[in-house]
Amino acid sequence: MLDDYRNDYDENDLEIGDHKEAAAGVTGVAVAMKRSLEQMGLVRTAESLLELNQAEGFDCPSCAWPDPDPGHRKIAEFCENGAKAVAEEGTRRRADPEFFAKYSIAELSQRSELWLGKQGRITHPMVKRPGATHYTPIDWDEAFALIGEKLRSLDSPEEAIFYTSGRASNEAAFVYQLFARALGTNNLPDCSNMCHESTSIALQESIGIGKASVTLDDVHHAELIVLQGQNPGTNHPRMLTALEEAKRNGAKIIAINPLREAGLVNFRNPQTPRGVIGKGTDIADLHLPVAVNGDLALLQAFGSLLVEWDALDHDFIRGYTRGFEEWAEHVRGVDWDVVVSATGLSRQQITEAAQMLRRSKATVFCWAMGITQHRNAVATIKEICNLAFAQGNIGKRGAGLMPVRGHSNVQGDRTMGIWERAPQSFLDAIQKEFGFDPPREYGYDTVDSIRAMRDGKARFFLGLGGNFVQAAPDTAVTTEAMSRLDTTVHISTKPNRSHLVCGETALILPTLGRTDKDVQASGPQFVSVEDTTCSVHASRGPLKPPSKHLKSEVAIITGIAEATLGDRYGIDWTAMRDDYKNIREHISRVVPGCESYEVNVRRPGGFILPHPPRDSRTFQTESGKAEFVVSPVEVVQVPPGHLLLQTLRSHDQFNTTVYGLSDRYRGIEGGRRVVFVHREDIAALGFDNGDMVDLFTRWDGDERVRCAEQFRIVEYDLPRGSAAAYYPETNALVPLDSTALQSNCPTYKSVVVSLAPAGTRDSSCPDVHGTQTVGSDWSHKTCPQPEHLS
Ligand SMILES: Nc1nc2c(c(=O)[nH]1)N[C@H]1C(S)=C(S)[C@@H](COP(=O)(O)OP(=O)(O)OC[C@H]3O[C@@H](n4cnc5c(=O)[nH]c(N)nc54)[C@H](O)[C@@H]3O)O[C@H]1N2
Ligand SMILES: Nc1nc2c(c(=O)[nH]1)N[C@H]1C(S)=C(S)[C@@H](COP(=O)(O)OP(=O)(O)OC[C@H]3O[C@@H](n4cnc5c(=O)[nH]c(N)nc54)[C@H](O)[C@@H]3O)O[C@H]1N2
Ligand code: SF4
Ligand SMILES: [Mo]
C-alpha cells in the first residue's frame, strides 16, 4: 500500500496492537535504515548519516536536542527519528513541473498530507496565476519581481505577514527579519507562537530570560529529573541517552504525563549491549498519570509540601529571590480536594513525588507541549520556576529549568530577531547597524495573523518554511482566511497543504535544506543554529542538491529584498548572499552574546550563549531577583458527557509532515484517525471499543460547531475524562480564540470535545458536508464565518 506512493492510503487498513513499554532498541535502528535506504539509496544514506550531528557535519533538521561535546560523539550520533527526518529531505523523489502539470490544485487538495510529502523535493519555482487551476514554472527573476511588485503595491507594510518555521538557519532568520523591518513591519509570527511561547513569556518574567538554564552536562549530573508534558522517546529521542547517563550517575526520574509513553518507561539504547540484548534501562522511577491540565494544581501541591517540610534553600531564597512569603502563604492554603480532583492523583502519589524533590540537592525540570499548550500554561511554567527557586535549583551544576524546544533552530530564530515583539534594545541595535529606524509597534503573532487575514487587514503572506494552515488552530477558519489573500508565497522543500490554500496569486519557492550543499559566489557556505541549551554551532550540508534550480533560503530572501526595496537604506543584500560571513558580521554587532560570532561558531562544537541565571545567578527581571509568582489554581472545567482532548504527535511524523503510519509504541499501524479513550469513559459515553465517531467542539464566544469526522475509538490507558488524538487531523477542533493567557498560544492540549456515532449529527453541525477524504476533511466544507470572534 504505502510502497506505491501514487496511491493514497485507506484508513480501513488501520490495525490496533499492543502498547509498548520500551523505546528505541534494534527495531528503531532497523526502521531508520529501512526508511533511509528506501528514500535516499545507499550512497546518499552513507553520505548523510555519517555527517549527522558531527562537529564538522550538519545539524539534525528534526528536534532541538543538543549534541555531546565534540570529543564525546559516537560514529552514529543520531536517533531513529533524526534519520527519518534526513531521509525525508534527502529523498530521491521529485515534485517537478510534470508533477504540478499532472495534478490541479483541486486534485492535490484531495490528497493526504502523507501523500503530498511523499512526492519528494520540489525542483522548480512555481506560480499559480489569478484564475489558474494549476501551478506552472516561473523564472527566479520573474518570481522575485512579481513578489516585489505585490509588496510595493500594498497600502501599508502592515498588510504583509512574514511567517517562520523553526528550521530556518540563523543566517536566513537574520536577513528575513531585517527585510521585514526594512519594509516597515514587525509582523513576524513564527511556529514558536504555537509552541514554547508560554515558556518564553513565563521565564522572561520569572528569571529575566526566556531560555533553558541548563546544559547537557547538568542533565548528566542531576540528582533528580522531572519530565513533565513531554514524550522524549518520540520527539527528542537522544534525550533518552542523556537520561540513561544521568541514571548511571545515580539520578532519579519522575515522569508526569497522562500517558505512559514508551520512552518514559524503558529505553533500549541500541549502542550498548544492555540495550540490544539486555533489558534496557528503566527511565522513570515514578510515573504520575496526571489528568490533562492538572499540572498547575499538582505543582502547587508539591510547593505546599516542601514549605510544610521546610525543604527549602533559605540562602538562595534570601539572596536571589523576591516574593517568597506571598507564594509560601498561597501554597500553604492549597485545597487538597481541588488538587486531587484536578490532578486525578492521590495525595499519597503526590507526596511520594514531593519526597523525591525533598531528597534531591540538584533537580532539573524539563517540559514541552503538554505544559505550554493550555490556557493556564504561563502560570504553570511560573509555578515550575517557583519550585526551582524554593530549593535553589538554578545556577548550579546538575540543576535548572529545561524547556525542551521543538524545531531544530526555533530558539536560534528568536535569538536572531524573528519575533513580533522584539525588545526595543534589539531594534535599537538594528537601527545603529543599518541606519534606519525599524517599526516599534508589536506585529501580529500567529493567531493575530489569522485574524488579520480573516478580517481583510492582511493581503500578503510569505512563509519561510512550515505548513501554516495545517499547524494553526481552527483549520476551517485559517483556510478560509488564507484563501482571502492577494498573494501567498511559500519557501519550501516539499509539497504541503499550505501550498494548496492559495491567494489569488500563489508562489512556491523551492529551497535547499539542511542536508544540501550550499555554494554561493564566494564558494561553499555553512550556516549556524542554536539548540535548546543555547549552544550555537555551524552546520554544513553534505548532499548534492536535488535540483540545480534550487536556491538557498538566504539567496531567496535577499533576492526578494532586492526586488522589493532596491537599494533602500543602502543595505548590501548581494554581499550577504555571496558570502554568509557578511551576515554573521552584522549578527556579531546586533545580537547580544554574539560578539566574535564568526570565530566562535567555527570552533568544533561552537559556543554557548550567555545566560545570566545559569552563569552567575543574575536575574535581569524588574526587581533584579528571581520572581516567585502567585497564580490562582485554574483548571479547565469539562461538562458532563464531554472529554478533555489533547492533540499530540505519533512516532511517525514531524509536526504536519507525516512520514508513515506506524505509531509503533502506542500500537497503532496503518492509519491515524484514532481517538484514545479510557475503557470506563467509552462505556459511560455509550460506546464500544473500535466504534467510529465524529468529534465536536463548541466554544463559548461563537455558535459555530467544529467537527472532525471518522475517528475510531481506541481503548487506552489514560486518566478518566481525558482523550488523545493526533495533530494535525484534530486542529479543526481547536477554536481560534481558545488561547493561553498572556502567550496567546493555541490550547492544543485542552480541547473540550463530545463524541457522536460517525455521521449521525450532520444536521446539528452545519459545517459537515460532502465526502470524506483522508487528511483533507476540512477542504470540502464551507464553514460559515464565525460571528463573535474578536
Ligand atoms: N519525531 C518528531 N520529533 C519532534 C516533533 C515531531 O513532530 N516528530 N516535533 C518537534 C516539535 S516542533 C516540538 S514542539 C516537540 C514536541 O515534543 P512533545 O511536547 O513531546 O510533543 P507532543 O506529542 O505534543 O507530546 C506532548 C506530551 O505531553 C503529554 N501531555 C498532554 N497534555 C498534558 C498535560 O496536561 N499535562 C502533562 N503533564 N502532560 C501532558 C502528552 O501525553 C505527550 O506525551 O517535538 C519536536 N520533535
Ligand atoms: N493540534 C496541534 N497543533 C499544533 C501542535 C500540537 O501539538 N497540536 N504543535 C504546534 C507546534 S509545537 C509547532 S512548532 C507547529 C509547527 O508548525 P510549522 O513549523 O509551520 O510546521 P511543520 O510541519 O514543521 O512544517 C513542515 C514544512 O516545512 C517545510 N520545510 C521543511 N524543511 C524546510 C527547510 O529546511 N526550509 C524551508 N524553507 N522549509 C522547510 C516543508 O515544506 C514542510 O512541509 O505546529 C503547531 N500545531
Ligand atoms: S534527538 Fe533530535 S536532534 Fe538528535 S538525532 Fe534525534 S531527532 Fe535529531
Ligand atoms: Mo514546536
Side-chain angles (χ1 to χ4, degrees):
M1 167 197 51
L2 264 176
D3 293 337
D4 180 1
Y5 292 116
R6 279 162 306 205
N7 292 320
D8 228 321
Y9 69 98
D10 183 349
E11 281 284 341
N12 292 322
D13 295 336
L14 179 75
E15 284 175 21
I16 318 282
D18 288 336
H19 171 263
K20 309 278 183 306
E21 295 275 280
V26 283
T27 316
V29 179
V31 172
M33 289 321 294
K34 181 168 179 282
R35 296 284 177 90
S36 300
L37 293 170
E38 250 170 31
Q39 296 249 8
M40 298 195 286
L42 188 60
V43 175
R44 283 169 80 80
T45 297
E47 279 175 349
S48 56
L49 294 187
L50 291 173
E51 297 287 314
L52 180 51
N53 292 329
Q54 299 300 333
E56 295 294 318
F58 71 103
D59 183 63
C60 177
S62 191
C63 81
W65 186 252
D67 303 315
D69 290 337
H72 293 88
R73 297 190 194 174
K74 306 201 174 61
I75 293 175
E77 192 57 60
F78 56 85
C79 68
E80 172 191 345
N81 282 344
K84 282 189 205 158
V86 169
E88 282 288 309
E89 188 175 296
T91 181
R92 290 180 297 184
R93 297 168 196 275
R94 301 288 174 258
D96 53 16
E98 286 90 88
F99 166 79
F100 286 103
K102 183 170 173 197
Y103 298 103
S104 69
I105 293 165
E107 282 166 334
L108 292 173
S109 306
Q110 306 293 314
R111 300 297 188 153
S112 70
E113 212 59 41
L114 171 69
W115 185 90
L116 289 173
K118 289 290 182 236
Q119 302 312 308
R121 292 286 295 273
I122 304 166
T123 58
H124 290 66
M126 306 297 294
V127 64
K128 187 217 67 107
R129 303 198 189 265
T133 53
H134 289 68
Y135 274 104
T136 49
I138 180 173
D139 280 346
W140 278 106
D141 285 345
E142 196 196 337
F144 291 155
L146 180 60
I147 295 167
E149 190 190 304
K150 294 286 182 190
L151 280 167
R152 283 193 308 272
S153 73
L154 296 177
D155 292 333
S156 144
E158 299 302 338
E159 291 180 339
I161 288 168
F162 297 97
Y163 175 70
T164 310
S165 164
R167 212 171 258 188
S169 66
N170 282 353
E171 287 74 3
F174 188 83
V175 289
Y176 193 61
Q177 60 82 31
L178 179 64
F179 167 54
R181 293 187 166 117
L183 182 74
T185 177
N186 282 318
N187 288 343
L188 286 157
D190 68 349
C191 65
S192 233
N193 297 144
M194 302 180 261
C195 184
H196 266 293
E197 194 67 66
S198 308
T199 298
S200 305
I201 302 273
L203 291 187
Q204 187 69 43
E205 205 171 311
S206 292
I207 64 168
I209 177 169
K211 299 180 180 183
S213 79
V214 294
T215 63
L216 198 48
D217 177 77
D218 291 314
V219 177
H220 293 156
H221 293 93
E223 289 183 22
L224 176 67
I225 299 170
V226 182
L227 300 173
Q228 199 165 5
Q230 195 201 346
N231 180 19
T234 285
N235 296 316
H236 306 91
R238 270 187 319 158
M239 183 175 184
L240 298 184
T241 312
L243 296 176
E244 188 181 43
E245 179 159 348
K247 292 218 80 169
R248 246 195 333 264
N249 294 335
K252 298 275 184 219
I253 294 180
I254 304 177
I256 304 174
N257 197 309
L259 307 185
R260 221 176 129 76
E261 304 280 28
L264 301 176
V265 180
N266 184 275
F267 172 44
R268 295 198 166 173
N269 186 343
Q271 302 200 332
T272 63
R274 190 183 160 77
V276 176
I277 48 169
K279 289 200 344 253
T281 303
D282 291 333
I283 295 292
D285 298 274
L286 179 66
H287 173 226
L288 296 182
V290 67
V292 170
N293 198 238
D295 300 83
L296 180 57
L298 176 64
L299 291 160
Q300 295 200 353
F302 289 158
S304 131
L305 292 169
L306 294 178
V307 169
E308 184 187 323
W309 299 331
D310 194 26
L312 304 167
D313 181 340
H314 289 287
D315 290 342
F316 182 83
I317 292 170
R318 238 188 330 272
Y320 298 99
T321 70
R322 189 179 79 157
F324 170 73
E325 281 309 330
E326 294 85 333
W327 174 74
E329 181 68 25
H330 175 69
V331 293
R332 267 188 217 109
V334 147
D335 179 338
W336 277 92
D337 291 338
V338 173
V339 170
V340 168
S341 92
T343 60
L345 301 168
S346 68
R347 187 164 179 160
Q348 190 192 347
Q349 282 172 301
I350 297 172
T351 307
E352 193 185 339
Q355 289 285 9
M356 291 169 75
L357 283 164
R358 178 190 204 173
R359 282 192 290 270
S360 165
K361 297 272 168 299
T363 304
V364 170
F365 295 88
C366 304
W367 69 93
M369 297 305 102
I371 297 299
T372 63
Q373 298 174 333
H374 295 283
R375 183 169 165 80
N376 57 6
V378 174
T380 305
I381 297 158
K382 288 177 185 165
E383 206 61 52
I384 297 175
C385 295
N386 294 342
L387 273 193
F389 304 155
Q391 296 192 289
N393 277 314
I394 188 159
K396 72 175 181 197
R397 195 177 192 205
L401 300 163
M402 189 173 204
V404 186
R405 304 257 167 194
H407 265 293
S408 58
N409 197 40
V410 63
Q411 186 158 319
D413 291 346
R414 263 296 158 87
T415 306
M416 294 298 129
I418 300 291
W419 196 1
E420 76 286 351
R421 302 189 238 183
Q424 296 299 323
S425 55
F426 183 90
L427 301 176
D428 291 342
I430 290 277
Q431 181 170 16
K432 186 155 171 247
E433 177 72 8
F434 296 99
F436 72 92
D437 190 12
R440 299 287 170 155
E441 325 66 62
Y442 290 162
Y444 299 134
D445 63 11
T446 292
V447 166
D448 285 338
S449 294
I450 299 166
R451 292 183 180 133
M453 294 191 253
R454 178 198 63 196
D455 300 342
K457 292 186 192 145
R459 290 165 53 201
F460 177 101
F461 178 97
L462 172 55
L464 176 55
N467 185 0
F468 191 84
V469 301
Q470 283 290 88
D474 228 341
T475 315
V477 174
T478 301
T479 305
E480 166 77 19
M482 188 77 124
S483 355
R484 297 189 61 183
L485 301 184
D486 292 342
T487 315
T488 49
V489 185
H490 294 279
I491 301 174
S492 307
T493 50
K494 302 179 81 176
N496 67 41
R497 178 98 28 218
S498 296
H499 303 148
L500 312 176
V501 181
C502 302
E504 196 182 20
T505 301
L507 291 112
I508 307 174
L509 305 178
T511 184
L512 298 176
R514 195 76 65 72
T515 54
D516 298 314
K517 280 198 180 100
D518 181 353
V519 181
Q520 301 295 334
S522 67
Q525 305 294 315
F526 68 88
V527 293
S528 51
V529 290
E530 177 183 345
D531 66 34
T532 199
T533 60
C534 309
S535 167
V536 182
H537 58 89
S539 175
R540 300 167 179 83
L543 296 179
K544 182 169 175 256
S547 141
K548 63 178 192 298
H549 303 286
L550 300 194
K551 286 189 186 290
S552 72
E553 291 178 338
V554 168
I556 295 171
I557 299 158
T558 51
I560 295 174
E562 283 170 329
T564 309
L565 303 176
D567 62 0
R568 195 193 289 183
Y569 309 131
I571 300 172
D572 193 346
W573 303 102
T574 314
M576 291 194 267
R577 170 171 63 240
D578 287 352
D579 191 342
Y580 299 174
K581 194 166 143 234
N582 295 319
I583 307 175
R584 290 188 289 269
E585 261 179 39
H586 291 302
I587 291 174
S588 71
R589 289 189 291 266
V590 170
V591 183
C594 290
E595 303 76 20
S596 311
Y597 195 67
E598 185 70 18
V599 176
N600 287 338
V601 90
R602 278 172 178 272
R603 282 200 203 119
F607 71 105
I608 295 204
L609 283 166
H611 188 291
R614 178 197 67 207
D615 301 337
S616 59
R617 292 189 160 179
T618 308
F619 298 92
Q620 292 165 348
T621 56
E622 254 173 44
S623 65
K625 305 264 186 186
E627 298 274 355
F628 277 96
V629 180
V630 172
S631 306
V633 186
E634 261 190 22
V635 185
V636 177
Q637 296 301 317
V638 183
H642 292 66
L643 298 171
L644 193 57
L645 174 79
Q646 57 139 325
T647 61
L648 40 52
R649 291 153 172 81
S650 82
H651 191 62
D652 216 3
Q653 68 183 91
F654 187 87
N655 296 340
T656 68
T657 304
V658 178
Y659 298 151
L661 302 171
S662 171
D663 194 11
R664 195 167 78 237
Y665 300 150
R666 301 193 186 106
I668 304 298
E669 299 286 342
R672 291 178 48 90
R673 299 185 84 85
V674 292
V675 55
F676 299 107
V677 185
H678 190 280
R679 185 167 44 87
E680 288 170 32
D681 284 329
I682 299 177
L685 294 171
F687 293 107
D688 287 320
N689 187 22
D691 279 356
M692 295 302 291
V693 291
D694 297 338
L695 310 178
F696 297 85
T697 332
R698 259 178 207 283
W699 172 248
D700 276 353
D702 75 79
E703 290 302 305
R704 204 166 57 85
V705 181
R706 291 162 179 83
C707 330
E709 299 160 281
Q710 300 283 341
F711 286 74
R712 189 185 300 271
I713 297 184
V714 173
E715 181 184 315
Y716 207 79
D717 180 14
L718 39 61
R720 287 288 313 265
S722 53
Y726 300 130
Y727 136 66
E729 285 81 352
T730 43
N731 286 40
L733 295 167
V734 185
L736 185 65
D737 286 352
S738 178
T739 59
L741 297 169
Q742 283 191 278
S743 70
N744 215 19
C745 176
T747 58
Y748 296 124
K749 294 287 189 280
S750 31
V751 191
V752 177
V753 294
S754 57
L755 277 51
T760 55
R761 287 231 327 224
D762 275 24
S763 53
S764 67
C765 181
D767 27 352
V768 183
H769 291 299
T771 49
Q772 165 62 30
T773 304
V774 165
S776 55
D777 45 336
W778 48 268
S779 66
H780 302 279
K781 295 170 197 156
T782 38
C783 289
Q785 272 300 102
E787 282 164 14
H788 310 289
L789 304 190
S790 55

